Amino acid sequence: MKKDLPENIVEDIAIAVALENESPESKLWYVYVINLKNHPIENVLITSKGYGSKDGEQVKTSTLRHMIPLLQENSFALIEPIDEQTFGLTNEYWLSYYIGRDIYDKKFIFLPESIIESNFIKLPLLNKPGVMIK
C-alpha cells in the first residue's frame, strides 16, 4: 500500500537551464542536474520532454532518457542541450536517483516562457547565468 512506502523527499538537487554561449546570431543553452548534497547520488535517471501549444496547435517533443551512474557531492552533470524554440512549451524533467538502497524521484517543470532573462540567477557550482528549479 502507498501508505507503507517511505516518503523520500528530494532535497538539495536542482535542474538548471544555463546560457552557455551567446553570439549576435544565436544563444547556446544546456540543461544540467546539480547535486548540492554533501554526499553522492547514484543511478541518476532523467527523462525529458516538452509539450504545449504553438501557433494554436498541440506540440510534443520526443521523450529523451539520460543515465548518470554517479554524481558526486557538490557537483553537476550535463543532461542535454536545449533549443530556444522549446522555451514557449512546458519542459518537464523527471529525475530518479538512489542514495544507498533508497530511491528518490521528483518532477521538475519549467513553465512556458519561464526561461527568460528576468528570471536568471547565477547558477550554483556552474557560475553561469540561467534558471534553476530546486
Side-chain angles (χ1 to χ4, degrees):
M1 305 216 80
K2 188 174 180 178
K3 65 178 177 60
D4 297 326
L5 295 173
E7 192 173 328
N8 295 335
I9 307 291
V10 172
E11 296 176 321
D12 299 325
I13 300 290
I15 301 289
V17 177
L19 178 59
E20 288 291 317
N21 199 344
E22 189 173 8
S23 71
E25 300 84 40
S26 66
K27 295 180 180 179
L28 182 61
W29 301 86
Y30 286 128
V31 182
Y32 292 91
V33 57
I34 304 173
N35 181 7
L36 299 166
K37 295 180 174 298
N38 291 323
H39 50 83
I41 59 176
E42 299 177 298
N43 297 322
V44 181
L45 299 170
I46 302 160
T47 60
S48 63
K49 65 181 177 180
Y51 52 88
S53 63
K54 188 170 185 168
D55 300 326
E57 292 189 31
Q58 289 298 323
V59 177
K60 284 172 57 171
T61 66
S62 299
T63 298
L64 302 175
R65 292 169 180 79
H66 311 276
M67 167 66 168
I68 303 164
L70 179 67
L71 185 57
Q72 294 293 342
E73 64 272 4
N74 295 304
S75 67
F76 58 90
L78 174 67
I79 298 173
E80 64 187 13
I82 186 169
D83 190 321
E84 206 169 5
Q85 293 180 16
T86 65
F87 292 174
L89 302 175
T90 298
N91 288 283
E92 177 183 298
Y93 295 86
W94 190 294
L95 171 81
S96 297
Y97 62 90
Y98 283 87
I99 297 176
R101 296 182 62 135
D102 295 326
I103 189 168
Y104 296 77
D105 69 336
K106 182 176 179 178
K107 191 184 298 185
F108 296 83
I109 298 177
F110 291 90
L111 295 174
E113 308 302 338
S114 64
I115 305 169
I116 55 174
E117 195 167 334
S118 63
N119 291 337
F120 281 10
I121 61 169
K122 183 177 179 183
L123 298 170
L125 303 176
L126 289 162
N127 294 320
K128 296 177 182 177
V131 178
M132 179 175 84
I133 299 176
K134 187 173 164 187

